[in-house]
Amino acid sequence: MTNNQNQDLFNQAKNHIPAGVNSPVRAFAAVGGIPPFIRNGNGAKITDENNKTYTDYVGSWGPMILGHCHPKVIDAVKIAAENGLSFGTPTKNEVLLADLLCQLVPSMEMLRLVSSGTEATMSAIRLARGYTQRDLLVKFEGCYHGHSDSLLVKAGSGLLTFGDGKSSPSSAGVPEDIAKNTIVLPYNNIDVLQDFFLQNGNKVAAVIVELIAGNMNLIRPAADFIHKIRELTTKFGAIFIADEVMTGFRVGIKSAQGLFDVVPDLSTFGKVIGGGMPLAAFGGKKEIMQKIAPLGAVYQAGTLSGNPVATAAGLATLNEIKNTPNFYENLTQKTQMLVDGLQQAAKNAGYQHFTAQNVGGMFGIYFAENGEIPNDFAEISASVRIDDFNKFFHKMLDLGEYFAPSAYEAGFVSAAHSQEIIKQTIKNAEIAFKALKA
Ligand SMILES: *Cc1c(COP(=O)(O)O)cnc(C)c1O
């Protein structure tokens, strides 16, 4: 035993959990060192087993948009839990949550609730294939859509950090026979997409895309990229799946599809809609959704789908967002303040390779050789100064600032991050940038 609780727990964890973690990036393999074991959270802060407190810019990888332990969410969860944890029958909150999601996002006419983003995208793809009677799936390099077999082909952060990210499939255990039906095209390249469709468009079941990529750091879609996907899928009878598991209710009340004014055939949601509980959804056009069992021939099910405690957390979170005036204006303004402040801090420290940007409450920080914001997977992987990122990360962690432990992840600001908290982060960042120069 040491006097470091994180260290002791990490050692113990490795006995019975591979690498000591239940999701790879938590192991800190890319940045080195010991991951803090978090004991509790409150607002923008999390506290580890050594009693050290951090400002949290990960937010459970996106869900905690109201901050930790928001009283309305916790109350809703307590009430739901006291009524029973799971029944495997229909419950009222499922109906209310489905109604609310369809009310907020106009492209959603019908939906199914599931328990993870992985399940949502996997089911949406099966549905698209069943509906179109076609097999080919188009995805974009560096986009992550969960870890189902069809989607683990050039699939973003975890795989960028740990796999070689180049071969296809990008995980062992995915049969070539499955991977061969997944076509990977470069993000933001309209010409390549158009050429592909002109030759193969009538074989494509679906195109799945992160409307704003958030799993190869943050990459914005080029002007017209998303609209081109809409145009080509419509023309060739393929299904357009907007994967909004990360962007859903993170960048606006109508999500990224609202920002870009695009209407996908199917969408997937997760993260924010569960408010920190295991909850996700896929949905869209009624005509397509009615192909799901028992109405149609596409099978999908879940013992815990629409779980009453999870739906209570999701409803409380979305209602709080909806009922707070200027919620996204304020969240965007604070995230912008962080992004501007970090860039100023780098400048003050004389560090030239840093840049940053945000969309709503999500942000990207880039340690790029040319000091420019990347536009696709090839640019980000070619330019990233990994050693600088890792040093910055550890210095910030020491100073009580918890950023994602990988240069390929987006970051998140919550409604609980006050201006004072963000100013403190910016001050600490200047110290960290100066240490990079030293
Ligand atoms: C997180 C994420 C997923 C996977 O969701 P899980 O709940 O981790 O299975 C899928 N798509 C995108 C865009 C994501 O960010």
Side-chain angles (χ1 to χ4, degrees):
M1 300 286 272
T2 65
N3 60 5
N4 180 338
Q5 303 289 319
N6 295 328
Q7 172 92 68
D8 288 347
L9 279 166
F10 198 36
N11 290 343
Q12 185 183 344
K14 287 177 192 170
N15 291 331
H16 297 297
I17 306 174
V21 293
N22 288 304
S23 197
V25 73
R26 298 179 195 168
F28 274 37
V31 290
I34 309 293
F37 278 61
I38 301 304
R39 196 180 57 208
N40 66 286
N42 193 334
K45 303 283 184 175
I46 49 177
T47 301
D48 74 12
E49 295 284 350
N50 287 341
N51 223 12
K52 182 175 167 85
T53 295
Y54 310 82
T55 298
D56 182 13
Y57 289 103
V58 178
S60 187
W61 303 96
M64 309 315 297
I65 196 165
L66 300 179
H68 297 282
C69 290
H70 189 284
K72 287 190 184 156
V73 179
I74 298 302
D75 282 350
V77 165
K78 280 183 182 162
I79 291 167
E82 281 168 0
N83 284 322
L85 296 180
S86 182
F87 308 105
T89 66
T91 55
K92 185 174 173 182
N93 276 352
E94 296 168 80
V95 186
L96 298 182
L97 183 56
D99 285 355
L100 182 57
L101 286 168
C102 290
Q103 178 205 328
L104 294 174
V105 181
S107 76
M108 299 285 275
E109 296 171 359
M110 282 189 143
L111 62 85
R112 273 273 165 90
L113 297 174
V114 293
S115 301
S116 73
T118 293
E119 233 186 312
T121 55
M122 178 185 80
S123 307
I125 285 162
R126 183 179 308 130
L127 177 59
R129 285 174 163 159
Y131 179 81
T132 57
Q133 313 265 316
R134 300 173 182 176
D135 288 341
L136 271 196
L137 172 69
V138 173
K139 77 177 283 292
F140 298 95
E141 194 172 16
C143 284
Y144 177 68
H145 306 289
H147 63 94
S148 70
D149 283 353
S150 297
L151 290 164
L152 277 187
V153 184
K154 298 198 180 179
S157 49
L159 298 144
L160 294 184
T161 311
F162 304 112
D164 67 6
K166 289 188 175 61
S167 62
S168 142
S170 54
S171 162
V174 175
E176 283 289 347
D177 264 359
I178 290 178
K180 76 173 189 222
N181 286 313
T182 303
I183 306 300
V184 183
L185 302 179
Y187 195 75
N188 272 342
N189 192 322
I190 290 174
D191 291 342
V192 171
L193 180 68
Q194 189 150 306
D195 286 352
F196 180 81
F197 262 88
L198 287 178
Q199 289 175 33
N200 308 284
N202 51 16
K203 285 184 269 175
V204 175
V207 175
I208 187 165
V209 65
E210 288 183 77
L211 298 184
I212 301 160
N215 286 287
M216 47 174 161
N217 208 324
L218 172 66
I219 307 261
R220 282 175 187 267
D224 287 343
F225 178 61
I226 301 298
H227 291 105
K228 194 49 126 183
I229 296 173
R230 178 66 284 180
E231 181 194 316
L232 290 167
T233 46
T234 302
K235 189 169 164 193
F236 287 90
I239 303 300
F240 175 6
I241 305 173
D243 182 357
E244 297 236 45
V245 171
M246 184 183 287
T247 51
F249 304 98
R250 173 48 71 183
V251 299
I253 194 73
K254 293 181 183 173
S255 304
Q257 52 194 272
L259 287 188
F260 302 134
D261 205 13
V262 66
V263 182
D265 301 307
L266 294 176
S267 302
T268 54
F269 291 87
K271 298 193 169 112
V272 170
I273 72 162
M277 294 293 283
L279 182 81
F282 68 99
K285 287 204 174 116
K286 212 175 213 163
E287 188 200 331
I288 305 174
M289 290 303 290
Q290 284 175 333
K291 299 291 180 207
I292 291 181
L295 294 180
V298 179
Y299 194 70
Q300 178 271 334
T303 302
L304 297 177
S305 288
N307 175 269
V309 186
T311 47
L315 266 177
T317 299
L318 290 177
N319 277 323
E320 180 65 11
I321 291 171
K322 188 181 133 199
N323 296 332
T324 304
N326 304 320
F327 182 89
Y328 289 100
E329 286 82 350
N330 289 333
L331 184 67
T332 302
Q333 195 185 18
K334 283 193 284 193
T335 313
Q336 179 90 49
M337 178 183 159
L338 173 72
V339 157
D340 292 346
L342 291 175
Q343 291 183 96
Q344 189 59 49
K347 207 177 254 176
N348 293 349
Y351 180 77
Q352 291 165 357
H353 303 287
F354 181 82
T355 178
Q357 67 175 339
N358 72 297
V359 183
M362 64 192 276
F363 65 89
I365 58 174
Y366 315 90
F367 290 76
E369 198 54 51
N370 57 8
E372 282 173 23
I373 288 175
N375 281 310
D376 64 16
F377 169 78
E379 277 185 31
I380 190 158
S381 42
S383 72
V384 65
R385 291 170 65 99
I386 283 286
D387 288 349
D388 286 2
F389 170 80
N390 288 351
K391 279 186 204 146
F392 178 84
F393 168 81
H394 275 294
K395 187 73 191 171
M396 291 298 271
L397 195 66
D398 282 350
L399 293 167
E401 307 287 349
Y402 187 73
F403 282 82
S406 158
Y408 295 105
E409 303 285 356
F412 304 97
V413 171
S414 81
H417 286 69
S418 65
Q419 298 206 0
E420 287 64 39
I421 287 173
I422 292 169
K423 278 181 194 153
Q424 186 61 51
T425 301
I426 294 166
K427 264 192 201 160
N428 283 332
E430 190 164 329
I431 298 170
F433 284 124
K434 280 187 178 142
L436 277 185
K437 289 285 290 177

